[in-house]
Amino acid sequence: MSFGPEIRYSKWEMSAAIDEPDEKEVPQRQVSLRNTRQFYSAILSVAGLFIVVWGLILFPKYENPSILLLLLFFAIATQSTMTYLVGGNVSVSVSGAISFAVAGLYGPVAAGMAAAIAELGLWLLSLRLKNRDWYHELERLGVNSGIHGVSIFTAGVVFVFFRQVLGSGNFVLDAIPWFIGAIVGDQVNFWLLSIIIFLANGVKPKEVWRENRWAIPMNVLVMSIGGGLITLAVIQFGLLGLAIFVLPIILSAYSFRVTVNNAKKQMEKLEEMVTLRTQALADANHKLEALHKEKDSFLAVLTHDMRTPLTSIRGYGSILRDRELTRDQQTKIAKVILNSQDTLLEIVNNILELEKLQSGVPILLETSSFDLALLVKNTTESLETQALEKNITLNYDQIPSPIIVKADMSKIRRVILNLISNALKYTPESGLVSVKTEVNGRYAIFVVEDNGYGIPADELPTIFDRYSRVKGHRHLAIGTGLGLAIVKSLIEAHNGEISVQSEENVGSTFTFKLPIN
């Protein structure tokens, strides 16, 4: 399909031309340009109207007016299939070829009339009655009708002149007037339009030329070859030639319009997908940055927390190696070393557990039926020494009533051990820690309560997050901030729940419950 690119005034309107601001609110130069534009628009509109009226006056004198009517109809039809390419400033249309063909059949005035009427038809088809600025709608119609009417009229005049000068007789002599007329018509169209673009937008003609110069050869070829062939078809075959030659062009133009519009929709979808993917990538980058910060913070904490027990082990190990000590001194030093070793082991276990959680692999449970109350008693007893070192009273049920649950006993023991150890760590000397188990409906309940330092209200919502440690408590005990996150994961893996209630300088109560099968 032949097609002719063209730029149009409707795509170049500027805000000043639309909003018409008060003259006091805009610079004098803009007021001057606006007034000049309005005057220039009026001249174009009058020129287009004059050509249309002139053509209508001559209409009865034309030979075969039915063919002219069909050409006018086809000009409107092809103009209605005009397609704006991506970017919106350049459109594709074949109406120029039909209007130029009218020049070869009926002369320049009829050709200009066809071009102007085609613009009127397009304007009516694209008009939306609601919320329209009629002043600017009419201005747009007048400008486009005037530009295309004058440019095709001028092309027709040049075509007729060169055809009379060169005569006819061979293919080359017949083709030259068409090409020269098309070139002149294209350039008249361009410069008339460049002026209105400059007055409306302040865009210099050379910038418009640079952006759209690629369209000139195509437009010239479409006007000259298309116009010549349509004229030849009508001369040779009359109405039949017009139908055979023009209808496929109109159908092809419509098909092209549909294809381009579908391509635009696909591009819009692609742009939307790109936007979504870009946003997702940005979110992923933010998350990655947050993870890097968490990692750096974790490594800093880990380095600090591991250094303390390692220093103790090294120091007391050196004392055992280099000095003669009594049995009691050896026992005390061995206890410190073992406590430091337990601290290191807890850190390592937490790191290994974190690695499993981050890998996304579900926690594997080796379930069995056991007495939760007895497990709590035995685990609490193992921590009595830690309580005695700080003179903390550790209360628990010495003869508990059996509470049978089906769970992974080693993991539940780890949860209990972590919660009671935390209570002892963050309770001052001579404090109180109470541990109890009970049954409430379908759940076994474990509660550890202390009268320790407590957790500030603003830090409670994140207490079970990875690397989360109460800021004011970091100097009180070594830790990685992973223990409670792991505890929560283990309880939830058992379809249980864990919660905390705390008040700063009053104490904390951690509770978890497990379903009784």
Side-chain angles (χ1 to χ4, degrees):
M1 180 190 74
S2 298
F3 60 96
E6 54 186 19
I7 50 177
R8 304 179 62 76
Y9 173 61
S10 58
K11 290 295 179 180
W12 291 86
E13 293 176 0
M14 71 171 183
S15 58
I18 296 173
D19 300 333
E20 294 292 348
D22 190 277
E23 293 190 7
K24 296 179 180 179
E25 299 177 359
V26 297
Q28 186 61 37
R29 183 173 182 274
Q30 288 190 20
V31 174
S32 177
L33 285 175
R34 186 189 63 188
N35 293 336
T36 305
R37 175 183 59 79
Q38 291 174 342
F39 178 71
Y40 180 69
S41 299
I43 292 176
L44 288 175
S45 300
V46 170
L49 180 61
F50 176 77
I51 292 173
V52 171
V53 173
W54 189 6
L56 292 175
I57 292 173
L58 296 177
F59 194 89
K61 300 179 182 180
Y62 293 132
E63 185 179 354
N64 293 327
S66 58
I67 293 179
L68 179 55
L69 281 174
L70 273 178
L71 286 169
L72 292 176
F73 172 77
F74 286 146
I76 295 173
T78 52
Q79 193 73 317
S80 67
T81 63
M82 181 183 63
T83 303
Y84 283 104
L85 300 181
V86 178
N89 292 332
V90 178
S91 63
V92 170
S93 174
V94 295
S95 65
I98 295 178
S99 299
F100 196 29
V102 175
L105 294 168
Y106 296 97
V109 177
M113 177 185 67
I117 290 178
E119 287 295 331
L120 173 61
L122 175 64
W123 182 80
L124 290 173
L125 290 172
S126 62
L127 188 63
R128 300 293 181 269
L129 297 179
K130 292 184 178 179
N131 302 322
R132 303 305 298 179
D133 184 344
W134 287 102
Y135 174 81
H136 289 103
E137 283 294 334
L138 292 173
E139 180 189 27
R140 179 168 66 90
L141 169 62
V143 168
N144 283 326
S145 296
I147 288 175
H148 292 284
V150 170
S151 62
I152 293 295
F153 171 79
T154 306
V157 170
V158 172
F159 164 76
V160 171
F161 172 77
F162 276 94
R163 187 165 66 174
Q164 291 175 350
V165 170
L166 297 175
S168 178
N170 60 61
F171 175 78
V172 174
L173 291 179
D174 288 340
I176 289 176
W178 289 105
F179 280 104
I180 296 177
I183 292 171
V184 172
D186 178 78
Q187 289 305 295
V188 170
N189 181 87
F190 170 78
W191 288 106
L192 290 176
L193 186 58
S194 295
I195 293 171
I196 194 69
I197 291 172
F198 172 72
L199 295 174
N201 295 335
V203 180
K204 296 180 179 179
K206 65 178 182 180
E207 295 179 14
V208 181
W209 171 274
R210 187 164 47 247
E211 182 178 346
N212 297 283
R213 63 181 182 270
W214 63 272
I216 294 173
M218 301 173 68
N219 206 29
V220 169
L221 289 174
V222 168
M223 285 182 62
S224 58
I225 297 175
L229 290 177
I230 292 172
T231 300
L232 180 62
V234 173
I235 291 174
Q236 294 294 325
F237 304 105
L239 290 174
L240 180 61
L242 186 62
I244 292 174
F245 193 83
V246 176
L247 284 177
I249 294 177
I250 296 175
L251 293 175
S252 298
Y254 178 76
S255 176
F256 181 77
R257 176 187 176 93
V258 172
T259 301
V260 171
N261 288 340
N262 288 337
K264 285 182 180 179
K265 291 179 182 179
Q266 291 299 322
M267 288 186 67
E268 290 173 359
K269 289 181 181 179
L270 287 174
E271 289 175 358
E272 184 178 351
M273 290 178 62
V274 168
T275 301
L276 292 174
R277 296 294 187 271
T278 302
Q279 184 60 46
L281 183 59
D283 293 341
N285 285 334
H286 288 316
K287 290 180 181 179
L288 187 60
E289 290 175 5
L291 287 174
H292 278 307
K293 290 180 181 179
E294 283 188 357
K295 180 198 71 174
D296 294 340
S297 175
F298 171 69
L299 290 176
V301 171
L302 183 64
T303 302
H304 174 270
D305 288 349
M306 292 188 73
R307 183 185 291 117
T308 302
L310 285 171
T311 301
S312 296
I313 291 172
R314 179 180 177 80
Y316 283 107
S318 298
I319 292 174
L320 286 174
R321 182 191 63 192
D322 299 334
R323 298 184 186 180
E324 294 290 337
L325 301 173
T326 64
R327 180 62 181 171
D328 288 342
Q329 290 174 324
Q330 290 177 356
T331 301
K332 289 181 180 180
I333 289 175
K335 187 182 296 183
V336 172
I337 292 174
L338 289 173
N339 285 338
S340 297
Q341 180 267 336
D342 288 340
T343 300
L344 285 174
L345 183 61
E346 180 185 358
I347 291 173
V348 171
N349 286 336
N350 284 341
I351 293 172
L352 293 175
E353 196 69 42
L354 175 68
E355 189 69 25
K356 293 179 182 178
L357 295 176
Q358 288 183 335
S359 67
V361 177
I363 298 174
L364 297 178
L365 302 178
E366 298 180 2
T367 58
S368 61
S369 295
F370 61 91
D371 186 348
L372 177 64
L374 181 60
L375 179 64
V376 170
K377 172 183 175 296
N378 294 336
T379 305
T380 307
E381 283 179 348
S382 69
L383 294 171
E384 282 186 332
T385 303
Q386 185 177 336
L388 289 173
E389 288 177 355
K390 296 179 66 176
N391 196 29
I392 292 174
T393 301
L394 183 58
N395 288 337
Y396 60 95
D397 193 349
Q398 301 289 336
I399 309 175
S401 300
I403 302 175
I404 305 301
V405 297
K406 188 174 183 180
D408 189 319
M409 188 167 66
S410 64
K411 288 181 170 57
I412 297 301
R413 182 181 185 280
R414 185 174 178 187
V415 170
I416 297 167
L417 189 66
N418 185 290
L419 294 176
I420 299 175
S421 295
N422 278 353
L424 295 173
K425 285 179 186 178
Y426 299 109
T427 298
E429 292 188 2
S430 302
L432 172 66
V433 174
S434 298
V435 180
K436 65 179 180 179
T437 52
E438 59 186 13
V439 175
N440 186 351
R442 298 184 297 105
Y443 291 94
I445 309 295
F446 167 86
V447 180
V448 56
E449 182 179 3
D450 65 65
N451 62 352
Y453 303 107
I455 303 168
D458 61 331
E459 296 188 56
L460 269 175
T462 60
I463 197 65
F464 291 106
D465 292 349
R466 296 173 190 173
Y467 313 114
S468 176
R469 296 190 68 196
V470 178
K471 296 176 182 177
H473 296 173
R474 292 177 183 175
H475 66 287
L476 299 174
I478 295 171
T480 59
L482 298 176
L484 289 178
I486 293 171
V487 163
K488 184 173 185 290
S489 298
L490 293 177
I491 292 298
E492 289 178 348
H494 285 84
N495 296 319
E497 298 176 9
I498 186 167
S499 60
V500 59
Q501 293 179 332
S502 186
E503 185 177 347
E504 197 169 10
N505 299 319
V506 174
S508 303
T509 301
F510 283 84
T511 304
F512 74 74
K513 58 182 183 179
L514 295 174
I516 299 176
N517 296 320

